[in-house]
Amino acid sequence: RLDDLLSDGRGDGAVPRRRRRTMWQLSFPADRDVCSRLGRMSPEGLRDEVLRRCGDWHEPFPGMVRSTPTGTVWGTELLDRDPRAFLDHRARLEAHGRLPSRVVLVGDAAHSMTPFKGQGANQALADGPLLASWLGKSKLDSAVRQFMNEMTNRSRVKVLASREAAARLHSPDCWKWMRSQDGPRTEDPTKGCGGGGAVFHGVGKDADLLLETLRRRGIGASLGGALDGSIRAVIEELGIAGGRSHV
């Protein structure tokens, strides 16, 4: 995190500067040896590692990293866990005549997942009411069993979808896949991840024209809160939102 002063990008002071707090994060595939090495790094070392990997990116990212107070820099491994493992463990105990424990795990302890679907907190919040519901209508052992079954079946879908999203978003074909999402939306969940309409919604094949126009006019993150409106104005000017383009 850092306190970043954002202006209109022209440097002439025409727009008052606004104080903002920004959080940035970087994720990348790594084997256990790399994770172990990064885990031993100091905050300064982690910041230098980010700059080593991303120092040639366009501003404001490199400057933002350099300006970040080292006391706020930290890193950790991102791991997931298939909750089905708990049901399999329970089945093995029962097969040997052992009574499974009445200890119940919920939230990340039961179904940790990567953040690339934004479902971790949602699934944890759903666990509490579900457990309370089963405890209110069944005997304890049965309630625990039914809760574990339902919780696992519900959260496992999200765990695996988050795992797939992590793989796609960190692959060399990430941009190609994201661009492919800007097609006609389909209700068939087997047709790709997300079904369409993600990156430049409504722009489609004219995304390259839009990006080049934004670059040529200097429209970027330095605009702060005015960025969305500036991009929208260019889209309307080019007439590309409805599948038409003219320059």
Side-chain angles (χ1 to χ4, degrees):
R1 296 179 177 84
L2 71 159
D3 290 322
D4 191 29
L5 296 177
L6 294 178
S7 70
D8 66 341
R10 296 180 296 178
D12 58 8
V15 177
R17 289 174 177 263
R18 294 182 296 168
R19 195 169 182 81
R20 290 170 174 265
R21 171 162 290 199
T22 304
M23 185 183 77
W24 58 265
Q25 66 180 37
L26 173 69
S27 60
F28 50 87
D31 59 31
R32 297 307 297 268
D33 290 339
V34 172
C35 290
S36 178
R37 177 176 63 83
L38 294 176
R40 295 191 299 269
M41 280 187 176
S42 64
E44 293 83 1
L46 288 172
R47 185 180 62 183
D48 291 344
E49 178 71 14
V50 172
L51 289 173
R52 184 184 71 81
R53 292 174 177 269
C54 310
D56 60 347
W57 290 14
H58 65 75
E59 292 292 349
F61 186 74
M64 186 167 62
V65 174
R66 293 187 185 96
S67 302
T68 302
T70 55
T72 65
V73 178
W74 62 279
T76 186
E77 295 179 74
L78 294 178
L79 304 173
D80 64 17
R81 171 182 290 163
D82 188 340
R84 182 75 199 181
F86 291 108
L87 295 187
D88 294 341
H89 177 65
R90 187 183 184 97
R92 287 194 296 269
L93 292 178
E94 293 177 341
H96 291 84
R98 297 173 58 189
L99 180 65
S101 171
R102 292 178 176 179
V103 174
V104 173
L105 298 181
V106 298
D108 283 349
H111 43 68
S112 58
M113 63 188 74
T114 67
F116 300 104
K117 277 293 187 180
Q119 283 293 315
N122 292 344
Q123 296 305 303
L125 290 172
D127 289 345
L130 179 62
L131 177 59
S133 173
W134 279 110
L135 290 173
K137 60 187 179 184
S138 300
K139 293 183 179 180
L140 184 57
D141 288 336
S142 176
V144 169
R145 178 191 296 274
Q146 296 302 324
F147 164 74
M148 290 294 290
N149 285 336
E150 187 170 343
M151 179 270 292
T152 295
N153 291 333
R154 184 202 70 233
S155 62
R156 187 171 190 264
V157 175
K158 307 300 182 182
V159 170
L160 298 183
S162 296
R163 182 182 296 176
E164 179 187 3
R168 284 185 178 274
L169 293 173
H170 294 88
S171 72
D173 295 327
C174 170
W175 177 243
K176 182 187 299 184
W177 169 71
M178 292 179 70
R179 288 286 300 275
S180 73
Q181 303 304 291
D182 198 38
R185 183 166 295 278
T186 173
E187 298 301 323
D188 186 350
T190 65
K191 303 296 185 180
C193 183
V199 182
F200 297 105
H201 184 59
V203 175
K205 62 183 178 61
D206 293 305
D208 290 335
L209 171 63
L210 173 61
L211 289 173
E212 174 58 25
T213 304
L214 296 178
R215 185 196 63 77
R216 194 169 60 245
R217 299 184 183 183
I219 298 175
S222 61
L223 294 180
L227 178 61
D228 286 349
S230 300
I231 294 176
R232 190 177 303 112
V234 172
I235 290 175
E236 293 175 355
E237 176 188 338
L238 296 177
I240 58 179
R244 307 173 308 280
S245 63
H246 57 271
V247 181

PDB file of all heavy atoms in Angstrom, residues 207-246:
ATOM      1  N   ALA A 207     -10.910  -3.548 -30.127  1.00  0.00           N
ATOM      2  CA  ALA A 207     -10.124  -3.287 -28.920  1.00  0.00           C
ATOM      3  C   ALA A 207      -8.754  -2.718 -29.255  1.00  0.00           C
ATOM      4  O   ALA A 207      -8.258  -1.823 -28.574  1.00  0.00           O
ATOM      5  CB  ALA A 207      -9.982  -4.570 -28.097  1.00  0.00           C
ATOM      6  N   ASP A 208      -8.118  -3.210 -30.343  1.00  0.00           N
ATOM      7  CA  ASP A 208      -6.805  -2.698 -30.715  1.00  0.00           C
ATOM      8  C   ASP A 208      -6.878  -1.219 -31.082  1.00  0.00           C
ATOM      9  O   ASP A 208      -5.986  -0.434 -30.732  1.00  0.00           O
ATOM     10  CB  ASP A 208      -6.234  -3.502 -31.882  1.00  0.00           C
ATOM     11  CG  ASP A 208      -5.843  -4.922 -31.481  1.00  0.00           C
ATOM     12  OD1 ASP A 208      -5.566  -5.131 -30.282  1.00  0.00           O
ATOM     13  OD2 ASP A 208      -5.828  -5.803 -32.349  1.00  0.00           O
ATOM     14  N   LEU A 209      -7.921  -0.831 -31.806  1.00  0.00           N
ATOM     15  CA  LEU A 209      -8.111   0.573 -32.162  1.00  0.00           C
ATOM     16  C   LEU A 209      -8.282   1.429 -30.911  1.00  0.00           C
ATOM     17  O   LEU A 209      -7.692   2.510 -30.798  1.00  0.00           O
ATOM     18  CB  LEU A 209      -9.335   0.723 -33.068  1.00  0.00           C
ATOM     19  CG  LEU A 209      -9.802   2.168 -33.349  1.00  0.00           C
ATOM     20  CD1 LEU A 209      -8.714   2.938 -34.094  1.00  0.00           C
ATOM     21  CD2 LEU A 209     -11.103   2.148 -34.150  1.00  0.00           C
ATOM     22  N   LEU A 210      -9.052   0.933 -29.969  1.00  0.00           N
ATOM     23  CA  LEU A 210      -9.260   1.669 -28.728  1.00  0.00           C
ATOM     24  C   LEU A 210      -7.949   1.844 -27.971  1.00  0.00           C
ATOM     25  O   LEU A 210      -7.616   2.954 -27.512  1.00  0.00           O
ATOM     26  CB  LEU A 210     -10.286   0.942 -27.858  1.00  0.00           C
ATOM     27  CG  LEU A 210     -10.486   1.502 -26.444  1.00  0.00           C
ATOM     28  CD1 LEU A 210     -10.984   2.941 -26.498  1.00  0.00           C
ATOM     29  CD2 LEU A 210     -11.445   0.616 -25.650  1.00  0.00           C
ATOM     30  N   LEU A 211      -7.189   0.762 -27.813  1.00  0.00           N
ATOM     31  CA  LEU A 211      -5.931   0.830 -27.075  1.00  0.00           C
ATOM     32  C   LEU A 211      -4.948   1.785 -27.727  1.00  0.00           C
ATOM     33  O   LEU A 211      -4.272   2.564 -27.043  1.00  0.00           O
ATOM     34  CB  LEU A 211      -5.324  -0.565 -26.963  1.00  0.00           C
ATOM     35  CG  LEU A 211      -6.036  -1.545 -26.025  1.00  0.00           C
ATOM     36  CD1 LEU A 211      -5.412  -2.926 -26.145  1.00  0.00           C
ATOM     37  CD2 LEU A 211      -5.966  -1.063 -24.585  1.00  0.00           C
ATOM     38  N   GLU A 212      -4.856   1.749 -29.044  1.00  0.00           N
ATOM     39  CA  GLU A 212      -3.930   2.634 -29.741  1.00  0.00           C
ATOM     40  C   GLU A 212      -4.349   4.102 -29.583  1.00  0.00           C
ATOM     41  O   GLU A 212      -3.505   4.986 -29.381  1.00  0.00           O
ATOM     42  CB  GLU A 212      -3.871   2.265 -31.231  1.00  0.00           C
ATOM     43  CG  GLU A 212      -3.052   3.209 -32.093  1.00  0.00           C
ATOM     44  CD  GLU A 212      -1.605   3.328 -31.639  1.00  0.00           C
ATOM     45  OE1 GLU A 212      -1.096   2.387 -30.994  1.00  0.00           O
ATOM     46  OE2 GLU A 212      -0.977   4.371 -31.932  1.00  0.00           O
ATOM     47  N   THR A 213      -5.638   4.368 -29.649  1.00  0.00           N
ATOM     48  CA  THR A 213      -6.127   5.736 -29.473  1.00  0.00           C
ATOM     49  C   THR A 213      -5.847   6.243 -28.062  1.00  0.00           C
ATOM     50  O   THR A 213      -5.415   7.391 -27.882  1.00  0.00           O
ATOM     51  CB  THR A 213      -7.631   5.803 -29.768  1.00  0.00           C
ATOM     52  OG1 THR A 213      -7.892   5.301 -31.085  1.00  0.00           O
ATOM     53  CG2 THR A 213      -8.140   7.238 -29.678  1.00  0.00           C
ATOM     54  N   LEU A 214      -6.075   5.397 -27.069  1.00  0.00           N
ATOM     55  CA  LEU A 214      -5.794   5.789 -25.685  1.00  0.00           C
ATOM     56  C   LEU A 214      -4.307   6.076 -25.499  1.00  0.00           C
ATOM     57  O   LEU A 214      -3.929   7.045 -24.840  1.00  0.00           O
ATOM     58  CB  LEU A 214      -6.247   4.684 -24.729  1.00  0.00           C
ATOM     59  CG  LEU A 214      -7.744   4.389 -24.686  1.00  0.00           C
ATOM     60  CD1 LEU A 214      -8.018   3.235 -23.730  1.00  0.00           C
ATOM     61  CD2 LEU A 214      -8.537   5.621 -24.266  1.00  0.00           C
ATOM     62  N   ARG A 215      -3.459   5.221 -26.088  1.00  0.00           N
ATOM     63  CA  ARG A 215      -2.016   5.426 -25.969  1.00  0.00           C
ATOM     64  C   ARG A 215      -1.600   6.730 -26.630  1.00  0.00           C
ATOM     65  O   ARG A 215      -0.814   7.510 -26.058  1.00  0.00           O
ATOM     66  CB  ARG A 215      -1.282   4.250 -26.617  1.00  0.00           C
ATOM     67  CG  ARG A 215       0.236   4.300 -26.430  1.00  0.00           C
ATOM     68  CD  ARG A 215       0.949   3.372 -27.394  1.00  0.00           C
ATOM     69  NE  ARG A 215       0.721   3.771 -28.777  1.00  0.00           N
ATOM     70  CZ  ARG A 215       1.353   4.799 -29.358  1.00  0.00           C
ATOM     71  NH1 ARG A 215       2.221   5.521 -28.669  1.00  0.00           N
ATOM     72  NH2 ARG A 215       1.098   5.108 -30.618  1.00  0.00           N
ATOM     73  N   ARG A 216      -2.123   6.994 -27.819  1.00  0.00           N
ATOM     74  CA  ARG A 216      -1.747   8.191 -28.567  1.00  0.00           C
ATOM     75  C   ARG A 216      -2.162   9.469 -27.849  1.00  0.00           C
ATOM     76  O   ARG A 216      -1.463  10.493 -27.920  1.00  0.00           O
ATOM     77  CB  ARG A 216      -2.378   8.121 -29.961  1.00  0.00           C
ATOM     78  CG  ARG A 216      -1.814   9.116 -30.957  1.00  0.00           C
ATOM     79  CD  ARG A 216      -2.273   8.813 -32.366  1.00  0.00           C
ATOM     80  NE  ARG A 216      -3.719   8.868 -32.495  1.00  0.00           N
ATOM     81  CZ  ARG A 216      -4.483   7.822 -32.793  1.00  0.00           C
ATOM     82  NH1 ARG A 216      -3.925   6.632 -32.980  1.00  0.00           N
ATOM     83  NH2 ARG A 216      -5.785   7.944 -32.907  1.00  0.00           N
ATOM     84  N   ARG A 217      -3.259   9.410 -27.128  1.00  0.00           N
ATOM     85  CA  ARG A 217      -3.755  10.606 -26.436  1.00  0.00           C
ATOM     86  C   ARG A 217      -3.285  10.698 -24.991  1.00  0.00           C
ATOM     87  O   ARG A 217      -3.661  11.618 -24.267  1.00  0.00           O
ATOM     88  CB  ARG A 217      -5.286  10.615 -26.482  1.00  0.00           C
ATOM     89  CG  ARG A 217      -5.837  10.669 -27.901  1.00  0.00           C
ATOM     90  CD  ARG A 217      -7.345  10.780 -27.910  1.00  0.00           C
ATOM     91  NE  ARG A 217      -7.870  10.761 -29.265  1.00  0.00           N
ATOM     92  CZ  ARG A 217      -9.158  10.901 -29.577  1.00  0.00           C
ATOM     93  NH1 ARG A 217     -10.052  11.092 -28.605  1.00  0.00           N
ATOM     94  NH2 ARG A 217      -9.550  10.862 -30.834  1.00  0.00           N
ATOM     95  N   GLY A 218      -2.489   9.743 -24.553  1.00  0.00           N
ATOM     96  CA  GLY A 218      -1.958   9.802 -23.196  1.00  0.00           C
ATOM     97  C   GLY A 218      -3.001   9.539 -22.117  1.00  0.00           C
ATOM     98  O   GLY A 218      -2.869  10.013 -20.990  1.00  0.00           O
ATOM     99  N   ILE A 219      -4.018   8.762 -22.454  1.00  0.00           N
ATOM    100  CA  ILE A 219      -5.072   8.439 -21.488  1.00  0.00           C
ATOM    101  C   ILE A 219      -4.670   7.176 -20.754  1.00  0.00           C
ATOM    102  O   ILE A 219      -4.593   6.094 -21.337  1.00  0.00           O
ATOM    103  CB  ILE A 219      -6.430   8.243 -22.197  1.00  0.00           C
ATOM    104  CG1 ILE A 219      -6.845   9.546 -22.879  1.00  0.00           C
ATOM    105  CG2 ILE A 219      -7.494   7.784 -21.210  1.00  0.00           C
ATOM    106  CD1 ILE A 219      -8.110   9.426 -23.716  1.00  0.00           C
ATOM    107  N   GLY A 220      -4.367   7.331 -19.458  1.00  0.00           N
ATOM    108  CA  GLY A 220      -3.902   6.194 -18.676  1.00  0.00           C
ATOM    109  C   GLY A 220      -4.193   6.356 -17.215  1.00  0.00           C
ATOM    110  O   GLY A 220      -5.008   7.211 -16.805  1.00  0.00           O
ATOM    111  N   ALA A 221      -3.514   5.549 -16.385  1.00  0.00           N
ATOM    112  CA  ALA A 221      -3.807   5.503 -14.956  1.00  0.00           C
ATOM    113  C   ALA A 221      -3.550   6.822 -14.248  1.00  0.00           C
ATOM    114  O   ALA A 221      -4.094   7.073 -13.172  1.00  0.00           O
ATOM    115  CB  ALA A 221      -2.983   4.392 -14.303  1.00  0.00           C
ATOM    116  N   SER A 222      -2.709   7.699 -14.836  1.00  0.00           N
ATOM    117  CA  SER A 222      -2.426   8.973 -14.185  1.00  0.00           C
ATOM    118  C   SER A 222      -3.652   9.874 -14.081  1.00  0.00           C
ATOM    119  O   SER A 222      -3.655  10.834 -13.321  1.00  0.00           O
ATOM    120  CB  SER A 222      -1.320   9.711 -14.957  1.00  0.00           C
ATOM    121  OG  SER A 222      -1.732   9.987 -16.288  1.00  0.00           O
ATOM    122  N   LEU A 223      -4.707   9.544 -14.820  1.00  0.00           N
ATOM    123  CA  LEU A 223      -5.930  10.348 -14.745  1.00  0.00           C
ATOM    124  C   LEU A 223      -6.728  10.075 -13.477  1.00  0.00           C
ATOM    125  O   LEU A 223      -7.653  10.807 -13.164  1.00  0.00           O
ATOM    126  CB  LEU A 223      -6.806  10.078 -15.978  1.00  0.00           C
ATOM    127  CG  LEU A 223      -6.231  10.528 -17.325  1.00  0.00           C
ATOM    128  CD1 LEU A 223      -7.209  10.202 -18.446  1.00  0.00           C
ATOM    129  CD2 LEU A 223      -5.918  12.010 -17.309  1.00  0.00           C
ATOM    130  N   GLY A 224      -6.389   9.021 -12.767  1.00  0.00           N
ATOM    131  CA  GLY A 224      -7.088   8.728 -11.518  1.00  0.00           C
ATOM    132  C   GLY A 224      -8.570   8.507 -11.729  1.00  0.00           C
ATOM    133  O   GLY A 224      -9.005   7.740 -12.589  1.00  0.00           O
ATOM    134  N   GLY A 225      -9.390   9.260 -10.973  1.00  0.00           N
ATOM    135  CA  GLY A 225     -10.838   9.078 -11.033  1.00  0.00           C
ATOM    136  C   GLY A 225     -11.459   9.497 -12.350  1.00  0.00           C
ATOM    137  O   GLY A 225     -12.616   9.159 -12.626  1.00  0.00           O
ATOM    138  N   ALA A 226     -10.712  10.228 -13.174  1.00  0.00           N
ATOM    139  CA  ALA A 226     -11.247  10.663 -14.466  1.00  0.00           C
ATOM    140  C   ALA A 226     -11.011   9.631 -15.568  1.00  0.00           C
ATOM    141  O   ALA A 226     -11.444   9.837 -16.701  1.00  0.00           O
ATOM    142  CB  ALA A 226     -10.613  11.996 -14.870  1.00  0.00           C
ATOM    143  N   LEU A 227     -10.334   8.526 -15.252  1.00  0.00           N
ATOM    144  CA  LEU A 227      -9.959   7.566 -16.280  1.00  0.00           C
ATOM    145  C   LEU A 227     -11.167   6.931 -16.952  1.00  0.00           C
ATOM    146  O   LEU A 227     -11.252   6.881 -18.180  1.00  0.00           O
ATOM    147  CB  LEU A 227      -9.061   6.479 -15.671  1.00  0.00           C
ATOM    148  CG  LEU A 227      -8.616   5.367 -16.626  1.00  0.00           C
ATOM    149  CD1 LEU A 227      -7.810   5.943 -17.779  1.00  0.00           C
ATOM    150  CD2 LEU A 227      -7.799   4.321 -15.878  1.00  0.00           C
ATOM    151  N   ASP A 228     -12.114   6.437 -16.161  1.00  0.00           N
ATOM    152  CA  ASP A 228     -13.266   5.743 -16.747  1.00  0.00           C
ATOM    153  C   ASP A 228     -14.035   6.650 -17.694  1.00  0.00           C
ATOM    154  O   ASP A 228     -14.427   6.243 -18.797  1.00  0.00           O
ATOM    155  CB  ASP A 228     -14.194   5.235 -15.640  1.00  0.00           C
ATOM    156  CG  ASP A 228     -13.630   4.037 -14.911  1.00  0.00           C
ATOM    157  OD1 ASP A 228     -12.630   3.478 -15.393  1.00  0.00           O
ATOM    158  OD2 ASP A 228     -14.174   3.669 -13.852  1.00  0.00           O
ATOM    159  N   GLY A 229     -14.276   7.891 -17.269  1.00  0.00           N
ATOM    160  CA  GLY A 229     -15.019   8.814 -18.121  1.00  0.00           C
ATOM    161  C   GLY A 229     -14.282   9.141 -19.397  1.00  0.00           C
ATOM    162  O   GLY A 229     -14.898   9.288 -20.472  1.00  0.00           O
ATOM    163  N   SER A 230     -12.948   9.242 -19.329  1.00  0.00           N
ATOM    164  CA  SER A 230     -12.153   9.542 -20.518  1.00  0.00           C
ATOM    165  C   SER A 230     -12.206   8.396 -21.514  1.00  0.00           C
ATOM    166  O   SER A 230     -12.324   8.613 -22.723  1.00  0.00           O
ATOM    167  CB  SER A 230     -10.702   9.829 -20.114  1.00  0.00           C
ATOM    168  OG  SER A 230     -10.630  10.939 -19.237  1.00  0.00           O
ATOM    169  N   ILE A 231     -12.115   7.156 -21.005  1.00  0.00           N
ATOM    170  CA  ILE A 231     -12.204   5.993 -21.898  1.00  0.00           C
ATOM    171  C   ILE A 231     -13.593   5.917 -22.531  1.00  0.00           C
ATOM    172  O   ILE A 231     -13.734   5.648 -23.735  1.00  0.00           O
ATOM    173  CB  ILE A 231     -11.894   4.697 -21.127  1.00  0.00           C
ATOM    174  CG1 ILE A 231     -10.436   4.692 -20.664  1.00  0.00           C
ATOM    175  CG2 ILE A 231     -12.170   3.471 -21.998  1.00  0.00           C
ATOM    176  CD1 ILE A 231     -10.065   3.500 -19.813  1.00  0.00           C
ATOM    177  N   ARG A 232     -14.613   6.158 -21.729  1.00  0.00           N
ATOM    178  CA  ARG A 232     -15.981   6.117 -22.257  1.00  0.00           C
ATOM    179  C   ARG A 232     -16.174   7.151 -23.366  1.00  0.00           C
ATOM    180  O   ARG A 232     -16.828   6.875 -24.385  1.00  0.00           O
ATOM    181  CB  ARG A 232     -16.966   6.360 -21.117  1.00  0.00           C
ATOM    182  CG  ARG A 232     -18.427   6.112 -21.500  1.00  0.00           C
ATOM    183  CD  ARG A 232     -19.350   6.292 -20.313  1.00  0.00           C
ATOM    184  NE  ARG A 232     -18.978   5.412 -19.218  1.00  0.00           N
ATOM    185  CZ  ARG A 232     -18.480   5.833 -18.060  1.00  0.00           C
ATOM    186  NH1 ARG A 232     -18.279   7.127 -17.849  1.00  0.00           N
ATOM    187  NH2 ARG A 232     -18.178   4.973 -17.113  1.00  0.00           N
ATOM    188  N   ALA A 233     -15.588   8.341 -23.185  1.00  0.00           N
ATOM    189  CA  ALA A 233     -15.721   9.381 -24.199  1.00  0.00           C
ATOM    190  C   ALA A 233     -15.059   8.968 -25.506  1.00  0.00           C
ATOM    191  O   ALA A 233     -15.580   9.230 -26.604  1.00  0.00           O
ATOM    192  CB  ALA A 233     -15.119  10.689 -23.683  1.00  0.00           C
ATOM    193  N   VAL A 234     -13.898   8.312 -25.429  1.00  0.00           N
ATOM    194  CA  VAL A 234     -13.216   7.844 -26.640  1.00  0.00           C
ATOM    195  C   VAL A 234     -14.037   6.769 -27.338  1.00  0.00           C
ATOM    196  O   VAL A 234     -14.159   6.760 -28.564  1.00  0.00           O
ATOM    197  CB  VAL A 234     -11.807   7.318 -26.290  1.00  0.00           C
ATOM    198  CG1 VAL A 234     -11.160   6.659 -27.504  1.00  0.00           C
ATOM    199  CG2 VAL A 234     -10.928   8.451 -25.780  1.00  0.00           C
ATOM    200  N   ILE A 235     -14.604   5.845 -26.568  1.00  0.00           N
ATOM    201  CA  ILE A 235     -15.437   4.791 -27.152  1.00  0.00           C
ATOM    202  C   ILE A 235     -16.612   5.399 -27.911  1.00  0.00           C
ATOM    203  O   ILE A 235     -16.938   5.001 -29.041  1.00  0.00           O
ATOM    204  CB  ILE A 235     -15.927   3.827 -26.056  1.00  0.00           C
ATOM    205  CG1 ILE A 235     -14.751   2.990 -25.525  1.00  0.00           C
ATOM    206  CG2 ILE A 235     -17.024   2.901 -26.600  1.00  0.00           C
ATOM    207  CD1 ILE A 235     -15.117   2.094 -24.363  1.00  0.00           C
ATOM    208  N   GLU A 236     -17.247   6.402 -27.303  1.00  0.00           N
ATOM    209  CA  GLU A 236     -18.385   7.054 -27.964  1.00  0.00           C
ATOM    210  C   GLU A 236     -17.937   7.819 -29.196  1.00  0.00           C
ATOM    211  O   GLU A 236     -18.613   7.824 -30.235  1.00  0.00           O
ATOM    212  CB  GLU A 236     -19.084   7.976 -26.975  1.00  0.00           C
ATOM    213  CG  GLU A 236     -19.769   7.233 -25.840  1.00  0.00           C
ATOM    214  CD  GLU A 236     -20.358   8.177 -24.797  1.00  0.00           C
ATOM    215  OE1 GLU A 236     -20.131   9.407 -24.929  1.00  0.00           O
ATOM    216  OE2 GLU A 236     -21.031   7.688 -23.868  1.00  0.00           O
ATOM    217  N   GLU A 237     -16.773   8.486 -29.104  1.00  0.00           N
ATOM    218  CA  GLU A 237     -16.264   9.246 -30.249  1.00  0.00           C
ATOM    219  C   GLU A 237     -15.944   8.340 -31.429  1.00  0.00           C
ATOM    220  O   GLU A 237     -16.261   8.660 -32.585  1.00  0.00           O
ATOM    221  CB  GLU A 237     -15.009  10.011 -29.828  1.00  0.00           C
ATOM    222  CG  GLU A 237     -14.339  10.762 -30.966  1.00  0.00           C
ATOM    223  CD  GLU A 237     -13.007  11.348 -30.544  1.00  0.00           C
ATOM    224  OE1 GLU A 237     -12.785  11.549 -29.330  1.00  0.00           O
ATOM    225  OE2 GLU A 237     -12.175  11.592 -31.439  1.00  0.00           O
ATOM    226  N   LEU A 238     -15.342   7.189 -31.150  1.00  0.00           N
ATOM    227  CA  LEU A 238     -14.972   6.259 -32.225  1.00  0.00           C
ATOM    228  C   LEU A 238     -16.170   5.471 -32.727  1.00  0.00           C
ATOM    229  O   LEU A 238     -16.092   4.848 -33.793  1.00  0.00           O
ATOM    230  CB  LEU A 238     -13.897   5.291 -31.732  1.00  0.00           C
ATOM    231  CG  LEU A 238     -12.550   5.908 -31.338  1.00  0.00           C
ATOM    232  CD1 LEU A 238     -11.612   4.835 -30.807  1.00  0.00           C
ATOM    233  CD2 LEU A 238     -11.917   6.629 -32.520  1.00  0.00           C
ATOM    234  N   GLY A 239     -17.239   5.467 -31.960  1.00  0.00           N
ATOM    235  CA  GLY A 239     -18.434   4.741 -32.386  1.00  0.00           C
ATOM    236  C   GLY A 239     -18.249   3.246 -32.424  1.00  0.00           C
ATOM    237  O   GLY A 239     -18.792   2.580 -33.307  1.00  0.00           O
ATOM    238  N   ILE A 240     -17.501   2.707 -31.458  1.00  0.00           N
ATOM    239  CA  ILE A 240     -17.197   1.277 -31.506  1.00  0.00           C
ATOM    240  C   ILE A 240     -17.997   0.456 -30.510  1.00  0.00           C
ATOM    241  O   ILE A 240     -17.922  -0.763 -30.498  1.00  0.00           O
ATOM    242  CB  ILE A 240     -15.697   1.026 -31.281  1.00  0.00           C
ATOM    243  CG1 ILE A 240     -15.245   1.592 -29.943  1.00  0.00           C
ATOM    244  CG2 ILE A 240     -14.887   1.624 -32.395  1.00  0.00           C
ATOM    245  CD1 ILE A 240     -13.780   1.348 -29.645  1.00  0.00           C
ATOM    246  N   ALA A 241     -18.756   1.101 -29.620  1.00  0.00           N
ATOM    247  CA  ALA A 241     -19.478   0.343 -28.593  1.00  0.00           C
ATOM    248  C   ALA A 241     -20.522  -0.565 -29.179  1.00  0.00           C
ATOM    249  O   ALA A 241     -20.813  -1.627 -28.667  1.00  0.00           O
ATOM    250  CB  ALA A 241     -20.109   1.297 -27.583  1.00  0.00           C
ATOM    251  N   GLY A 242     -21.083  -0.178 -30.303  1.00  0.00           N
ATOM    252  CA  GLY A 242     -22.128  -0.987 -30.905  1.00  0.00           C
ATOM    253  C   GLY A 242     -21.662  -1.818 -32.076  1.00  0.00           C
ATOM    254  O   GLY A 242     -22.465  -2.227 -32.906  1.00  0.00           O
ATOM    255  N   GLY A 243     -20.340  -2.028 -32.159  1.00  0.00           N
ATOM    256  CA  GLY A 243     -19.815  -2.855 -33.253  1.00  0.00           C
ATOM    257  C   GLY A 243     -19.455  -2.036 -34.484  1.00  0.00           C
ATOM    258  O   GLY A 243     -19.147  -2.586 -35.527  1.00  0.00           O
ATOM    259  N   ARG A 244     -19.511  -0.660 -34.399  1.00  0.00           N
ATOM    260  CA  ARG A 244     -19.158   0.189 -35.543  1.00  0.00           C
ATOM    261  C   ARG A 244     -17.862   0.911 -35.198  1.00  0.00           C
ATOM    262  O   ARG A 244     -17.577   1.218 -34.060  1.00  0.00           O
ATOM    263  CB  ARG A 244     -20.251   1.223 -35.811  1.00  0.00           C
ATOM    264  CG  ARG A 244     -21.629   0.621 -35.949  1.00  0.00           C
ATOM    265  CD  ARG A 244     -22.681   1.709 -36.035  1.00  0.00           C
ATOM    266  NE  ARG A 244     -22.584   2.675 -34.938  1.00  0.00           N
ATOM    267  CZ  ARG A 244     -23.068   2.458 -33.730  1.00  0.00           C
ATOM    268  NH1 ARG A 244     -23.641   1.320 -33.448  1.00  0.00           N
ATOM    269  NH2 ARG A 244     -22.980   3.390 -32.802  1.00  0.00           N
ATOM    270  N   SER A 245     -17.092   1.255 -36.184  1.00  0.00           N
ATOM    271  CA  SER A 245     -15.874   2.029 -35.941  1.00  0.00           C
ATOM    272  C   SER A 245     -15.650   2.980 -37.092  1.00  0.00           C
ATOM    273  O   SER A 245     -15.905   2.667 -38.253  1.00  0.00           O
ATOM    274  CB  SER A 245     -14.666   1.109 -35.773  1.00  0.00           C
ATOM    275  OG  SER A 245     -14.417   0.384 -36.957  1.00  0.00           O
ATOM    276  N   HIS A 246     -15.223   4.184 -36.731  1.00  0.00           N
ATOM    277  CA  HIS A 246     -14.801   5.146 -37.753  1.00  0.00           C
ATOM    278  C   HIS A 246     -13.764   6.058 -37.117  1.00  0.00           C
ATOM    279  O   HIS A 246     -13.787   6.309 -35.922  1.00  0.00           O
ATOM    280  CB  HIS A 246     -15.987   5.945 -38.281  1.00  0.00           C
ATOM    281  CG  HIS A 246     -16.747   6.688 -37.231  1.00  0.00           C
ATOM    282  ND1 HIS A 246     -17.797   6.107 -36.546  1.00  0.00           N
ATOM    283  CD2 HIS A 246     -16.576   7.929 -36.705  1.00  0.00           C
ATOM    284  CE1 HIS A 246     -18.283   6.991 -35.668  1.00  0.00           C
ATOM    285  NE2 HIS A 246     -17.565   8.088 -35.744  1.00  0.00           N
TER     286      HIS A 246
END
